Amino acid sequence: MDKHLHEIADAVLSFLLSLVPSALGATVSMLVDDGITWGKMFARLWVGIVVSYFVKGALVALLSLHPFVVDAISFLTGMVAYKSAPGFIAGCSAAIGEAPGLIRDRLLAFLPSKEKK
């Protein structure tokens, strides 16, 4: 049982350490932002962390770069994602708001029309 707990703790620690460069990038961007609420700051921070985490994973999978270079790109991506979070959130909410209408129109296009011939 101790072996499994040790493996789980090791996996959680590795996951948290992989988030450090992206979190630092988003935090640096957060420090230069004035007049923002805590809720928006927290949401932007997590957008920065999540986006740069997946960019880092893609870089590792596609390219064989030095880990320092991957962490630097992850840091930069965290900064950029933090700054672009409001536009990203607005775009996602607009797309989600339009989705039911688009789905309805697509489904109605497959149904036969009620016009008499």
Side-chain angles (χ1 to χ4, degrees), residues 20-40:
V20 169
S22 54
L24 288 174
T27 304
V28 167
S29 282
M30 183 177 62
L31 293 175
V32 297
D33 235 356
D34 290 335
I36 188 170
T37 64
W38 281 99
K40 288 182 181 180

Side-chain angles (χ1 to χ4, degrees), residues 16-93:
L16 292 175
L17 288 176
S18 70
L19 293 178
V20 169
S22 54
L24 288 174
T27 304
V28 167
S29 282
M30 183 177 62
L31 293 175
V32 297
D33 235 356
D34 290 335
I36 188 170
T37 64
W38 281 99
K40 288 182 181 180
M41 193 179 308
F42 188 70
R44 285 186 184 187
L45 180 68
W46 278 106
V47 167
I49 290 171
V50 169
V51 168
S52 62
Y53 176 77
F54 285 109
V55 167
K56 182 178 180 179
L59 283 172
V60 168
L62 297 175
L63 304 171
S64 60
L65 298 172
H66 190 274
F68 181 76
V69 174
V70 174
D71 286 343
I73 293 172
S74 178
F75 178 84
L76 181 64
T77 308
M79 289 178 61
V80 171
Y82 177 85
K83 287 294 188 182
S84 63
F88 176 76
I89 292 169
C92 286
S93 63

